[in-house]
mmCIF file of all heavy atoms in Angstrom:
data_model
loop_
_atom_site.group_PDB
_atom_site.id
_atom_site.type_symbol
_atom_site.label_atom_id
_atom_site.label_comp_id
_atom_site.label_asym_id
_atom_site.label_seq_id
_atom_site.Cartn_x
_atom_site.Cartn_y
_atom_site.Cartn_z
ATOM 1 N N SER A 124 90.205 96.009 126.363
ATOM 2 C CA SER A 124 90.116 94.762 127.114
ATOM 3 C C SER A 124 91.518 94.031 127.181
ATOM 4 O O SER A 124 91.602 93.010 127.871
ATOM 5 C CB SER A 124 89.127 93.797 126.493
ATOM 6 O OG SER A 124 87.791 94.372 126.535
ATOM 7 N N GLY A 125 92.474 94.548 126.468
ATOM 8 C CA GLY A 125 93.823 93.949 126.513
ATOM 9 C C GLY A 125 94.222 93.189 125.313
ATOM 10 O O GLY A 125 95.344 92.638 125.321
ATOM 11 N N SER A 126 93.408 93.089 124.310
ATOM 12 C CA SER A 126 93.793 92.362 123.076
ATOM 13 C C SER A 126 94.806 93.110 122.324
ATOM 14 O O SER A 126 94.835 94.362 122.280
ATOM 15 C CB SER A 126 92.571 92.125 122.188
ATOM 16 O OG SER A 126 91.545 91.466 122.882
ATOM 17 N N VAL A 127 95.707 92.371 121.649
ATOM 18 C CA VAL A 127 96.672 92.929 120.759
ATOM 19 C C VAL A 127 96.109 92.942 119.374
ATOM 20 O O VAL A 127 95.706 91.881 118.853
ATOM 21 C CB VAL A 127 98.027 92.215 120.767
ATOM 22 C CG1 VAL A 127 99.026 92.718 119.764
ATOM 23 C CG2 VAL A 127 98.667 92.295 122.204
ATOM 24 N N ILE A 128 96.056 94.044 118.673
ATOM 25 C CA ILE A 128 95.441 94.161 117.341
ATOM 26 C C ILE A 128 96.527 94.233 116.313
ATOM 27 O O ILE A 128 97.523 94.945 116.404
ATOM 28 C CB ILE A 128 94.570 95.421 117.285
ATOM 29 C CG1 ILE A 128 93.463 95.402 118.340
ATOM 30 C CG2 ILE A 128 93.943 95.529 115.894
ATOM 31 C CD1 ILE A 128 92.706 96.688 118.524
ATOM 32 N N LEU A 129 96.363 93.445 115.260
ATOM 33 C CA LEU A 129 97.337 93.348 114.181
ATOM 34 C C LEU A 129 96.614 93.631 112.864
ATOM 35 O O LEU A 129 95.487 93.310 112.646
ATOM 36 C CB LEU A 129 97.952 91.926 114.059
ATOM 37 C CG LEU A 129 98.632 91.283 115.240
ATOM 38 C CD1 LEU A 129 97.567 90.543 116.104
ATOM 39 C CD2 LEU A 129 99.654 90.347 114.842
ATOM 40 N N ALA A 130 97.424 94.253 111.924
ATOM 41 C CA ALA A 130 96.903 94.513 110.583
ATOM 42 C C ALA A 130 97.994 94.945 109.708
ATOM 43 O O ALA A 130 99.120 95.308 110.136
ATOM 44 C CB ALA A 130 95.824 95.602 110.614
ATOM 45 N N ASN A 131 97.724 94.942 108.401
ATOM 46 C CA ASN A 131 98.661 95.499 107.429
ATOM 47 C C ASN A 131 98.911 96.999 107.682
ATOM 48 O O ASN A 131 98.000 97.706 108.192
ATOM 49 C CB ASN A 131 98.148 95.300 105.977
ATOM 50 C CG ASN A 131 99.034 95.949 104.952
ATOM 51 O OD1 ASN A 131 98.714 97.073 104.494
ATOM 52 N ND2 ASN A 131 100.172 95.352 104.572
ATOM 53 N N ALA A 132 100.065 97.507 107.366
ATOM 54 C CA ALA A 132 100.391 98.872 107.640
ATOM 55 C C ALA A 132 99.432 99.894 107.029
ATOM 56 O O ALA A 132 99.180 100.970 107.607
ATOM 57 C CB ALA A 132 101.863 99.211 107.203
ATOM 58 N N ASN A 133 98.862 99.539 105.866
ATOM 59 C CA ASN A 133 97.963 100.433 105.285
ATOM 60 C C ASN A 133 96.631 100.571 106.064
ATOM 61 O O ASN A 133 95.934 101.596 105.961
ATOM 62 C CB ASN A 133 97.647 100.006 103.826
ATOM 63 C CG ASN A 133 98.807 100.305 102.911
ATOM 64 O OD1 ASN A 133 99.673 101.178 103.198
ATOM 65 N ND2 ASN A 133 98.882 99.604 101.798
ATOM 66 N N VAL A 134 96.312 99.577 106.769
ATOM 67 C CA VAL A 134 95.112 99.615 107.638
ATOM 68 C C VAL A 134 95.346 100.718 108.744
ATOM 69 O O VAL A 134 94.476 101.460 109.001
ATOM 70 C CB VAL A 134 94.777 98.212 108.256
ATOM 71 C CG1 VAL A 134 93.635 98.344 109.261
ATOM 72 C CG2 VAL A 134 94.454 97.214 107.168
ATOM 73 N N TYR A 135 96.533 100.581 109.347
ATOM 74 C CA TYR A 135 96.860 101.621 110.382
ATOM 75 C C TYR A 135 96.770 102.992 109.815
ATOM 76 O O TYR A 135 96.184 103.959 110.365
ATOM 77 C CB TYR A 135 98.246 101.384 110.924
ATOM 78 C CG TYR A 135 98.624 102.293 112.032
ATOM 79 C CD1 TYR A 135 98.455 101.914 113.364
ATOM 80 C CD2 TYR A 135 99.155 103.581 111.743
ATOM 81 C CE1 TYR A 135 98.855 102.785 114.384
ATOM 82 C CE2 TYR A 135 99.513 104.471 112.770
ATOM 83 C CZ TYR A 135 99.343 104.052 114.070
ATOM 84 O OH TYR A 135 99.703 104.948 115.073
ATOM 85 N N LYS A 136 97.349 103.206 108.573
ATOM 86 C CA LYS A 136 97.370 104.533 107.957
ATOM 87 C C LYS A 136 95.915 105.031 107.742
ATOM 88 O O LYS A 136 95.660 106.250 107.976
ATOM 89 C CB LYS A 136 98.120 104.483 106.650
ATOM 90 C CG LYS A 136 99.589 104.246 106.785
ATOM 91 C CD LYS A 136 100.276 104.155 105.436
ATOM 92 C CE LYS A 136 101.730 103.841 105.570
ATOM 93 N NZ LYS A 136 102.358 103.662 104.252
ATOM 94 N N ARG A 137 95.067 104.227 107.277
ATOM 95 C CA ARG A 137 93.704 104.670 106.971
ATOM 96 C C ARG A 137 92.885 104.828 108.258
ATOM 97 O O ARG A 137 92.089 105.790 108.382
ATOM 98 C CB ARG A 137 93.002 103.712 106.041
ATOM 99 C CG ARG A 137 93.639 103.705 104.656
ATOM 100 C CD ARG A 137 92.730 103.195 103.560
ATOM 101 N NE ARG A 137 93.420 103.266 102.288
ATOM 102 C CZ ARG A 137 93.387 104.390 101.481
ATOM 103 N NH1 ARG A 137 92.745 105.450 101.907
ATOM 104 N NH2 ARG A 137 94.039 104.433 100.312
ATOM 105 N N MET A 138 93.041 103.986 109.227
ATOM 106 C CA MET A 138 92.299 104.128 110.485
ATOM 107 C C MET A 138 92.764 105.336 111.321
ATOM 108 O O MET A 138 91.972 105.872 112.117
ATOM 109 C CB MET A 138 92.392 102.863 111.328
ATOM 110 C CG MET A 138 91.657 101.666 110.761
ATOM 111 S SD MET A 138 91.759 100.270 111.893
ATOM 112 C CE MET A 138 90.819 100.845 113.278
ATOM 113 N N SER A 139 93.983 105.735 111.125
ATOM 114 C CA SER A 139 94.565 106.860 111.943
ATOM 115 C C SER A 139 94.347 108.225 111.257
ATOM 116 O O SER A 139 94.792 109.200 111.819
ATOM 117 C CB SER A 139 96.002 106.573 112.208
ATOM 118 O OG SER A 139 96.789 106.535 111.020
ATOM 119 N N THR A 140 93.772 108.262 110.082
ATOM 120 C CA THR A 140 93.574 109.508 109.379
ATOM 121 C C THR A 140 92.107 109.564 108.866
ATOM 122 O O THR A 140 91.437 108.552 108.764
ATOM 123 C CB THR A 140 94.528 109.627 108.144
ATOM 124 O OG1 THR A 140 94.325 108.517 107.305
ATOM 125 C CG2 THR A 140 95.936 109.709 108.580
ATOM 126 N N ARG A 141 91.656 110.762 108.571
ATOM 127 C CA ARG A 141 90.290 110.989 108.100
ATOM 128 C C ARG A 141 90.174 110.395 106.693
ATOM 129 O O ARG A 141 90.973 110.660 105.803
ATOM 130 C CB ARG A 141 90.035 112.472 108.051
ATOM 131 C CG ARG A 141 88.628 112.927 107.771
ATOM 132 C CD ARG A 141 88.524 114.436 107.929
ATOM 133 N NE ARG A 141 87.150 114.903 107.828
ATOM 134 C CZ ARG A 141 86.565 115.321 106.680
ATOM 135 N NH1 ARG A 141 87.239 115.274 105.557
ATOM 136 N NH2 ARG A 141 85.292 115.772 106.673
ATOM 137 N N GLN A 142 89.088 109.594 106.482
ATOM 138 C CA GLN A 142 88.834 108.951 105.175
ATOM 139 C C GLN A 142 87.511 109.415 104.620
ATOM 140 O O GLN A 142 86.520 109.541 105.337
ATOM 141 C CB GLN A 142 88.857 107.446 105.388
ATOM 142 C CG GLN A 142 90.141 106.919 105.915
ATOM 143 C CD GLN A 142 91.269 107.030 104.953
ATOM 144 O OE1 GLN A 142 91.183 106.654 103.749
ATOM 145 N NE2 GLN A 142 92.433 107.573 105.381
ATOM 146 N N GLU A 143 87.485 109.606 103.330
ATOM 147 C CA GLU A 143 86.240 109.939 102.658
ATOM 148 C C GLU A 143 85.869 108.747 101.733
ATOM 149 O O GLU A 143 86.619 108.298 100.910
ATOM 150 C CB GLU A 143 86.414 111.155 101.772
ATOM 151 C CG GLU A 143 86.667 112.475 102.557
ATOM 152 C CD GLU A 143 86.662 113.681 101.710
ATOM 153 O OE1 GLU A 143 86.041 113.610 100.554
ATOM 154 O OE2 GLU A 143 87.223 114.714 102.103
ATOM 155 N N MET A 144 84.648 108.228 102.021
ATOM 156 C CA MET A 144 84.145 107.104 101.237
ATOM 157 C C MET A 144 83.013 107.682 100.329
ATOM 158 O O MET A 144 81.855 107.683 100.727
ATOM 159 C CB MET A 144 83.633 106.022 102.116
ATOM 160 C CG MET A 144 84.703 105.392 103.015
ATOM 161 S SD MET A 144 84.096 104.011 103.993
ATOM 162 C CE MET A 144 83.879 102.737 102.777
ATOM 163 N N LYS A 145 83.380 108.110 99.130
ATOM 164 C CA LYS A 145 82.435 108.773 98.262
ATOM 165 C C LYS A 145 81.324 107.894 97.836
ATOM 166 O O LYS A 145 80.181 108.370 97.609
ATOM 167 C CB LYS A 145 83.197 109.429 97.081
ATOM 168 C CG LYS A 145 84.130 110.517 97.479
ATOM 169 C CD LYS A 145 84.848 111.131 96.219
ATOM 170 C CE LYS A 145 85.770 112.218 96.643
ATOM 171 N NZ LYS A 145 86.500 112.814 95.494
ATOM 172 N N PHE A 146 81.609 106.611 97.647
ATOM 173 C CA PHE A 146 80.579 105.690 97.155
ATOM 174 C C PHE A 146 79.375 105.659 98.072
ATOM 175 O O PHE A 146 78.232 105.519 97.654
ATOM 176 C CB PHE A 146 81.160 104.295 96.919
ATOM 177 C CG PHE A 146 80.113 103.284 96.540
ATOM 178 C CD1 PHE A 146 79.603 103.262 95.192
ATOM 179 C CD2 PHE A 146 79.584 102.325 97.390
ATOM 180 C CE1 PHE A 146 78.644 102.375 94.786
ATOM 181 C CE2 PHE A 146 78.671 101.431 97.023
ATOM 182 C CZ PHE A 146 78.185 101.410 95.702
ATOM 183 N N VAL A 147 79.651 105.662 99.411
ATOM 184 C CA VAL A 147 78.553 105.664 100.361
ATOM 185 C C VAL A 147 78.342 106.994 101.003
ATOM 186 O O VAL A 147 77.577 107.116 101.974
ATOM 187 C CB VAL A 147 78.837 104.620 101.495
ATOM 188 C CG1 VAL A 147 78.758 103.143 100.939
ATOM 189 C CG2 VAL A 147 80.169 104.914 102.140
ATOM 190 N N ASN A 148 78.904 107.995 100.426
ATOM 191 C CA ASN A 148 78.706 109.423 100.913
ATOM 192 C C ASN A 148 78.962 109.582 102.386
ATOM 193 O O ASN A 148 78.171 110.078 103.173
ATOM 194 C CB ASN A 148 77.290 109.895 100.556
ATOM 195 C CG ASN A 148 77.127 111.393 100.766
ATOM 196 O OD1 ASN A 148 78.094 112.169 100.582
ATOM 197 N ND2 ASN A 148 75.935 111.873 101.079
ATOM 198 N N ARG A 149 80.128 109.107 102.773
ATOM 199 C CA ARG A 149 80.413 109.008 104.235
ATOM 200 C C ARG A 149 81.862 109.478 104.487
ATOM 201 O O ARG A 149 82.776 109.177 103.681
ATOM 202 C CB ARG A 149 80.303 107.576 104.698
ATOM 203 C CG ARG A 149 80.543 107.360 106.146
ATOM 204 C CD ARG A 149 80.422 105.885 106.494
ATOM 205 N NE ARG A 149 80.871 105.610 107.853
ATOM 206 C CZ ARG A 149 81.216 104.389 108.276
ATOM 207 N NH1 ARG A 149 81.293 103.382 107.418
ATOM 208 N NH2 ARG A 149 81.589 104.228 109.489
ATOM 209 N N VAL A 150 82.064 110.162 105.595
ATOM 210 C CA VAL A 150 83.355 110.595 106.032
ATOM 211 C C VAL A 150 83.650 109.835 107.310
ATOM 212 O O VAL A 150 82.774 109.747 108.251
ATOM 213 C CB VAL A 150 83.486 112.096 106.334
ATOM 214 C CG1 VAL A 150 84.771 112.474 107.026
ATOM 215 C CG2 VAL A 150 83.310 112.882 105.039
ATOM 216 N N VAL A 151 84.782 109.156 107.376
ATOM 217 C CA VAL A 151 85.167 108.407 108.592
ATOM 218 C C VAL A 151 86.315 109.158 109.251
ATOM 219 O O VAL A 151 87.382 109.347 108.723
ATOM 220 C CB VAL A 151 85.645 106.982 108.217
ATOM 221 C CG1 VAL A 151 86.009 106.196 109.453
ATOM 222 C CG2 VAL A 151 84.519 106.280 107.440
ATOM 223 N N GLU A 152 86.072 109.579 110.516
ATOM 224 C CA GLU A 152 87.058 110.280 111.303
ATOM 225 C C GLU A 152 88.132 109.282 111.846
ATOM 226 O O GLU A 152 87.882 108.082 111.877
ATOM 227 C CB GLU A 152 86.413 111.049 112.448
ATOM 228 C CG GLU A 152 85.437 112.088 112.026
ATOM 229 C CD GLU A 152 86.051 113.215 111.138
ATOM 230 O OE1 GLU A 152 87.302 113.418 111.286
ATOM 231 O OE2 GLU A 152 85.313 113.884 110.421
ATOM 232 N N PRO A 153 89.300 109.827 112.175
ATOM 233 C CA PRO A 153 90.381 108.916 112.700
ATOM 234 C C PRO A 153 89.845 108.092 113.941
ATOM 235 O O PRO A 153 89.060 108.624 114.805
ATOM 236 C CB PRO A 153 91.440 109.851 113.152
ATOM 237 C CG PRO A 153 91.231 111.034 112.262
ATOM 238 C CD PRO A 153 89.781 111.207 112.123
ATOM 239 N N SER A 154 90.274 106.884 114.040
ATOM 240 C CA SER A 154 89.918 106.028 115.138
ATOM 241 C C SER A 154 90.770 106.406 116.379
ATOM 242 O O SER A 154 91.922 106.946 116.207
ATOM 243 C CB SER A 154 90.156 104.549 114.866
ATOM 244 O OG SER A 154 89.438 104.148 113.753
ATOM 245 N N PRO A 155 90.224 106.202 117.579
ATOM 246 C CA PRO A 155 90.997 106.447 118.766
ATOM 247 C C PRO A 155 92.207 105.487 118.802
ATOM 248 O O PRO A 155 92.239 104.446 118.281
ATOM 249 C CB PRO A 155 90.042 106.213 119.920
ATOM 250 C CG PRO A 155 88.984 105.299 119.328
ATOM 251 C CD PRO A 155 88.838 105.695 117.893
ATOM 252 N N ALA A 156 93.237 105.999 119.566
ATOM 253 C CA ALA A 156 94.504 105.153 119.585
ATOM 254 C C ALA A 156 94.282 103.753 120.019
ATOM 255 O O ALA A 156 94.974 102.798 119.498
ATOM 256 C CB ALA A 156 95.481 105.878 120.525
ATOM 257 N N VAL A 157 93.400 103.508 120.970
ATOM 258 C CA VAL A 157 93.158 102.172 121.486
ATOM 259 C C VAL A 157 92.611 101.231 120.438
ATOM 260 O O VAL A 157 92.727 99.975 120.550
ATOM 261 C CB VAL A 157 92.308 102.170 122.751
ATOM 262 C CG1 VAL A 157 90.813 102.481 122.386
ATOM 263 C CG2 VAL A 157 92.381 100.908 123.573
ATOM 264 N N ALA A 158 92.012 101.746 119.375
ATOM 265 C CA ALA A 158 91.397 100.949 118.353
ATOM 266 C C ALA A 158 92.387 100.601 117.212
ATOM 267 O O ALA A 158 92.081 99.798 116.357
ATOM 268 C CB ALA A 158 90.170 101.636 117.771
ATOM 269 N N LEU A 159 93.569 101.306 117.222
ATOM 270 C CA LEU A 159 94.454 101.132 116.136
ATOM 271 C C LEU A 159 95.330 99.855 116.304
ATOM 272 O O LEU A 159 95.565 99.440 117.432
ATOM 273 C CB LEU A 159 95.390 102.344 116.083
ATOM 274 C CG LEU A 159 94.728 103.659 115.838
ATOM 275 C CD1 LEU A 159 95.779 104.786 115.871
ATOM 276 C CD2 LEU A 159 94.087 103.697 114.389
ATOM 277 N N PRO A 160 95.686 99.271 115.171
ATOM 278 C CA PRO A 160 96.584 98.126 115.270
ATOM 279 C C PRO A 160 97.878 98.439 116.039
ATOM 280 O O PRO A 160 98.532 99.462 115.785
ATOM 281 C CB PRO A 160 96.925 97.738 113.850
ATOM 282 C CG PRO A 160 95.801 98.313 113.073
ATOM 283 C CD PRO A 160 95.365 99.570 113.785
ATOM 284 N N MET A 161 98.242 97.583 116.956
ATOM 285 C CA MET A 161 99.460 97.753 117.741
ATOM 286 C C MET A 161 100.688 97.134 116.953
ATOM 287 O O MET A 161 101.770 97.619 117.066
ATOM 288 C CB MET A 161 99.362 97.028 119.083
ATOM 289 C CG MET A 161 100.593 97.198 120.058
ATOM 290 S SD MET A 161 100.335 96.311 121.624
ATOM 291 C CE MET A 161 98.959 97.189 122.318
ATOM 292 N N VAL A 162 100.400 96.103 116.260
ATOM 293 C CA VAL A 162 101.355 95.444 115.372
ATOM 294 C C VAL A 162 100.981 95.546 113.953
ATOM 295 O O VAL A 162 99.879 95.234 113.554
ATOM 296 C CB VAL A 162 101.528 93.946 115.762
ATOM 297 C CG1 VAL A 162 102.534 93.228 114.891
ATOM 298 C CG2 VAL A 162 101.848 93.799 117.256
ATOM 299 N N THR A 163 101.876 96.058 113.094
ATOM 300 C CA THR A 163 101.620 96.129 111.624
ATOM 301 C C THR A 163 102.744 95.422 110.898
ATOM 302 O O THR A 163 103.810 95.188 111.354
ATOM 303 C CB THR A 163 101.534 97.582 111.178
ATOM 304 O OG1 THR A 163 102.799 98.256 111.449
ATOM 305 C CG2 THR A 163 100.375 98.381 111.869
ATOM 306 N N TYR A 164 102.415 95.021 109.676
ATOM 307 C CA TYR A 164 103.305 94.334 108.849
ATOM 308 C C TYR A 164 103.145 94.759 107.379
ATOM 309 O O TYR A 164 102.143 95.475 107.066
ATOM 310 C CB TYR A 164 103.118 92.798 108.947
ATOM 311 C CG TYR A 164 101.622 92.396 108.721
ATOM 312 C CD1 TYR A 164 101.126 92.168 107.431
ATOM 313 C CD2 TYR A 164 100.780 92.339 109.809
ATOM 314 C CE1 TYR A 164 99.796 91.842 107.195
ATOM 315 C CE2 TYR A 164 99.404 91.998 109.616
ATOM 316 C CZ TYR A 164 98.955 91.732 108.326
ATOM 317 O OH TYR A 164 97.634 91.478 108.114
ATOM 318 N N GLY A 165 104.131 94.423 106.582
ATOM 319 C CA GLY A 165 104.063 94.830 105.157
ATOM 320 C C GLY A 165 103.485 93.749 104.312
ATOM 321 O O GLY A 165 102.268 93.600 104.181
#
Side-chain angles (χ1 to χ4, degrees):
S124 298
S126 303
V127 175
I128 302 170
L129 306 87
N131 174 261
N133 286 340
V134 175
Y135 183 96
K136 291 176 183 177
R137 293 201 176 275
M138 289 184 66
S139 60
T140 57
R141 188 175 188 267
Q142 300 293 310
E143 294 187 22
M144 299 183 70
K145 294 182 179 179
F146 177 74
V147 292
N148 192 29
R149 180 184 174 202
V150 172
V151 181
E152 298 298 339
S154 298
V157 73
L159 297 175
M161 183 182 297
V162 178
T163 61
Y164 51 88

